[in-house]
Amino acid sequence: MFDINHQLELSKRRTFAIISHPDAGKTTVTEKMLLLGKVIRTSGTIKARGNGKYAKSDWMNIEKQRGISVTTSVMQFTYKNILMNLLDTPGHEDFSEDTYRILTAVDCCLLVIDAAKGIEDRTKKLMNVSRLHNTPIITFINKLDRDSREAIEILDEIEKELNLSCIPITWPISCGKNFKGVYHIYDKMFCLYKKNVIKKVNFFDSNSLTDFFNEFSLKEHIGTDLYIQWHEELKLVTHVYPEFSKKKFLEGDVTPVFFGSALSNFGINHVLESLIKWAPSPVYRCTNIRKVEPEEKKFTGFIFKIQANMDLKHRDRMAFMRIVSGQYRKGIKLRHVRIKKDIIVSDAFSFLAGDRFSIENAYPGDVIGIHNHGTIKIGDTFTEGEEIKFLGIPSFAPEVFRRIFLKNPLQQKKLKKGLFQLSEEGAIQIFCPITNNSLILGAIGILQFDVVIERLKVEYQIDAMYETVNIALARWIRSKKEKSISDFLNKNKSCLALDGSNQLIYLAPNKANLDIIKNIYKNIFFDKTREQ
Ligand code: G4P
């Protein structure tokens, strides 16, 4: 059962995503990681906004027009012999349900915060999703080269807003024009900041004569006032914050915190080291029957994303699978559990943003892409024969809504077909109200509505339009008692619809309405997520 090679492959892997509010620096952090991983050689390869050059991840037209990252890309790089799977998440205001679902496919998250802004709206939403699974979080406080808020104030905010205890691992020495670097509290080492130059010096370490940095020269370097201030702060920090505990981190209770400036590639190495040292190697996943451990020999995996048009020439759809156990080998026979069919996977891909590479082998924690000829849906399980279904890859209640209608009403059937197919990719959801024939679309970010209109036009030759609709929230309806559901249905028909899987959903005009309804119907569950 125990296979030493398999074990070695597991111990070499880390699978993580970056959580941040738009503009906090996710793309820049990603780019510096790829630089340190030697995947790219110069900055600007990943992002090139507004200058006519496009980033590797910008392969959709709409993405190019707006210069933002609409789709989620997967990047693999090696740092100090550890294979990092970084699942990138759309970071603009307009993002999609994919962003949420990505967080169900990783084992760890890197939270990037702008030091001048602190916790912002999008961060909170994403963190709520990642907290559903108690995913371990590493925090990087970015842009210290700019004027920032007090470090302690930011940590307080994280603790209060995200309900997550902070353990600073590095501590900044001032910020903005005065930013001198960080002190690594655990390594007892200074990393002195000079734009794009990183100099590491051990503090009072007489063993390392070349790096020897005594109190005098440190004072000279950062100035006496800053030295005294830093010294006072450090005393306070080491007094106030408890010792870092890997166990508590893995349980999702505490987050190690690092400071730096992604733009100057300062502090990113600390984050990578922490991923190596503390982030979990691939972890188990639950199914409807049992837990599946990554050490198991037989292959299992689940689909968390479907991406269309990755290669416009071929109009293909790619299903992204997170491997949970076993090993992918080219030509492997897999059971597609939902449709009860065996398939031979003769070609699977790994990705670097828009580029794809055919692969021979892959292990737990890796994400592989397989061709989808319309039979694969988000949430599908693949095994080497076992009839199980992975749980925890849900649909999330949409946050914005539109009614869609046709310029040419004769195309209604075609429109429905197109919308159902697009909704299977998981970026939008379609709802059919039970009292009329209209079609409502729901999404997590409004950009998805533009993407749908564009794709209906290009892929289905349908001209459609939107009108606003008085819906603010959606909740799936569930009850242990049949009768409660039918009572509820009879009295609230005008707000009820069926989703793409024929599940009842309540579409509330506002939060007050939802609160009142919840209060009246105590036997009904109003779910924010639904298992696929
Ligand atoms: P995002 O993916 O989270 O949306 O953020 P992104 O990395 O695109 O960064 C947003 C802006 O913040 C960019 O500037 C980027 O250069 C800047 N930035 C990122 N990290 C740092 C940092 O450590 N220090 C400073 N001073 N700036 C940082 P931009 O002007 O919007 O874009 P660009 O013209 O630089 O590409």
Side-chain angles (χ1 to χ4, degrees):
M1 177 79 181
F2 181 85
D3 177 335
I4 189 102
N5 282 333
H6 191 72
Q7 199 65 32
L8 194 69
E9 292 293 342
L10 294 182
S11 66
K12 275 200 317 208
R13 278 168 165 76
R14 304 288 182 273
T15 302
F16 69 104
I18 301 182
I19 288 178
S20 71
H21 191 81
D23 283 341
K26 180 179 63 65
T27 314
T28 314
V29 170
T30 304
E31 180 177 273
K32 301 306 175 196
M33 285 186 166
L34 295 182
L35 266 176
L36 292 168
K38 300 192 173 69
V39 170
I40 54 173
R41 267 178 285 168
T42 50
S43 295
T45 317
I46 290 301
K47 188 188 64 168
R49 281 184 194 156
N51 61 1
K53 284 191 277 171
Y54 294 107
K56 283 200 173 217
S57 62
D58 296 347
W59 63 82
M60 278 178 71
N61 247 344
I62 196 150
E63 202 171 21
K64 287 183 184 171
Q65 282 162 17
R66 304 202 180 188
I68 54 169
S69 181
V70 180
T71 48
T72 313
S73 45
V74 185
M75 315 196 193
Q76 209 174 48
F77 63 96
T78 305
Y79 185 74
K80 298 197 172 168
N81 264 339
I82 296 291
L83 201 145
M84 305 280 181
N85 289 308
L86 168 52
L87 309 202
D88 186 24
T89 45
H92 193 269
E93 269 302 331
D94 301 306
F95 75 147
S96 78
E97 214 184 325
D98 268 349
T99 318
Y100 285 166
R101 223 159 7 232
I102 276 283
L103 302 178
T104 67
V106 297
D107 303 316
C108 183
C109 285
L110 172 62
L111 170 64
V112 175
I113 296 173
D114 182 328
K117 297 193 176 147
I119 302 296
E120 296 170 90
D121 204 38
R122 189 66 73 199
T123 311
K124 258 201 251 178
K125 283 189 172 175
L126 288 165
M127 282 293 289
N128 285 341
V129 174
S130 92
R131 300 308 296 279
L132 288 176
H133 300 261
N134 292 329
T135 310
I137 309 284
I138 294 170
T139 302
F140 180 68
I141 299 183
N142 190 26
K143 305 196 190 181
L144 264 291
D145 59 306
R146 286 190 182 167
D147 287 340
S148 313
R149 289 167 53 187
E150 292 289 331
I152 289 217
E153 200 186 302
I154 304 172
L155 299 201
D156 277 355
E157 193 174 271
I158 297 175
E159 302 213 331
K160 207 168 108 212
E161 298 276 335
L162 306 180
N163 196 18
L164 184 63
S165 301
C166 294
I167 314 282
I169 306 297
T170 63
W171 195 255
I173 306 168
S174 197
C175 64
K177 280 195 192 110
N178 284 328
F179 183 49
K180 299 293 179 197
V182 297
Y183 177 64
H184 197 298
I185 299 169
Y186 289 74
D187 289 355
K188 300 207 180 336
M189 176 161 330
F190 283 101
C191 293
L192 298 178
Y193 172 79
K194 249 188 179 178
K195 236 181 170 179
N196 292 319
V197 179
I198 300 169
K199 188 173 179 193
K200 282 188 191 170
V201 283
N202 291 337
F203 190 46
F204 310 137
D205 178 359
S206 51
N207 293 326
S208 165
L209 283 177
T210 46
D211 283 343
F212 182 71
F213 214 79
N214 62 29
E215 194 176 347
F216 174 74
S217 51
L218 182 64
K219 266 187 197 162
E220 200 174 40
H221 190 86
I222 69 172
T224 308
D225 288 351
L226 264 186
Y227 179 83
I228 293 169
Q229 188 190 329
W230 162 78
H231 213 261
E232 287 304 309
E233 263 183 36
L234 191 68
K235 266 199 277 180
L236 182 77
V237 166
T238 43
H239 179 73
V240 169
Y241 296 98
E243 281 256 332
F244 175 74
S245 148
K246 183 171 170 181
K247 182 171 174 287
K248 286 191 177 161
F249 160 68
L250 291 176
E251 285 164 357
D253 291 336
V254 306
T255 177
V257 182
F258 299 87
F259 294 83
S261 159
L263 195 62
S264 321
N265 198 357
F266 185 83
I268 304 296
N269 57 331
H270 294 145
V271 172
L272 285 170
E273 301 288 341
S274 72
L275 278 162
I276 292 178
K277 245 192 330 199
W278 299 326
S281 46
V283 298
Y284 72 86
R285 289 289 191 278
C286 292
T287 71
N288 55 341
I289 292 172
R290 64 182 191 90
K291 257 187 197 176
V292 177
E293 300 286 349
E295 289 81 6
E296 292 181 25
K297 267 194 164 168
K298 290 207 166 160
F299 180 97
T300 61
F302 62 84
I303 304 295
F304 63 92
K305 174 184 163 64
I306 291 184
Q307 173 76 55
N309 300 333
M310 286 187 71
D311 183 347
L312 278 176
K313 270 183 263 149
H314 299 104
R315 281 282 193 85
D316 59 353
R317 286 205 211 178
M318 194 59 77
F320 286 71
M321 187 193 294
R322 149 90 198 217
I323 301 179
V324 178
S325 66
Q327 180 190 357
Y328 163 80
R329 298 168 304 275
K330 201 176 168 67
I332 191 172
K333 183 164 117 185
L334 291 181
R335 181 83 174 155
H336 184 338
V337 176
R338 182 176 53 83
I339 63 169
K340 300 190 189 312
K341 272 198 175 145
D342 292 333
I343 56 162
I344 303 284
V345 185
S346 50
D347 229 352
F349 300 92
S350 89
F351 304 90
L352 178 60
D355 298 335
R356 62 167 83 160
F357 311 90
S358 182
I359 49 166
E360 301 286 320
N361 285 294
Y363 292 87
D366 291 347
V367 170
I368 57 173
I370 57 176
H371 284 294
N372 176 17
H373 304 290
T375 53
I376 304 178
K377 284 190 189 172
I378 289 170
D380 278 347
T381 298
F382 287 82
T383 68
E384 281 189 81
E386 196 178 354
E387 302 282 330
I388 48 175
K389 172 161 176 37
F390 282 106
L391 304 174
I393 315 117
S395 285
F396 292 86
E399 294 166 16
V400 280
F401 303 85
R402 294 281 185 278
R403 180 174 288 118
I404 188 164
F405 63 93
L406 285 163
K407 287 185 182 163
N408 169 8
L410 293 177
Q411 292 182 308
Q412 187 71 12
K413 228 172 148 183
K414 208 168 159 192
L415 173 70
K416 252 189 162 172
K417 182 176 164 221
L419 287 176
F420 274 103
Q421 281 184 357
L422 294 181
S423 71
E424 279 181 4
E425 289 171 25
I428 54 137
Q429 292 179 42
I430 176 167
F431 304 116
C432 305
I434 57 174
T435 51
N436 60 59
N437 286 330
S438 67
L439 290 172
I440 309 283
L441 295 192
I444 299 284
I446 55 168
L447 180 64
Q448 294 310 319
F449 294 133
D450 290 1
V451 173
V452 166
I453 291 289
E454 181 69 21
R455 288 189 57 190
L456 284 174
K457 198 184 276 171
V458 175
E459 294 168 38
Y460 299 89
Q461 293 76 49
I462 296 173
D463 271 327
M465 290 164 74
Y466 291 118
E467 60 184 15
T468 50
V469 56
N470 188 23
I471 302 169
L473 295 142
R475 294 291 181 266
W476 282 281
I477 302 302
R478 193 166 51 85
S479 175
K480 286 180 183 142
K481 295 179 186 152
E482 268 303 293
K483 179 149 183 346
S484 306
I485 291 276
S486 54
D487 282 354
F488 181 76
L489 202 149
N490 284 333
K491 291 192 181 128
N492 296 283
K493 275 195 177 113
S494 63
C495 287
L496 284 166
L498 292 171
D499 73 1
S501 308
N502 270 335
Q503 298 293 315
L504 260 187
I505 191 156
Y506 183 78
L507 304 173
N510 50 52
K511 184 161 182 314
N513 168 281
L514 183 65
D515 289 342
I516 292 168
I517 289 286
K518 275 181 172 172
N519 220 4
I520 300 175
Y521 297 95
K522 295 241 172 11
N523 284 331
I524 302 272
F525 296 98
F526 294 82
D527 295 333
K528 268 185 175 176
T529 59
R530 182 178 68 74
E531 277 294 328
Q532 304 277 343

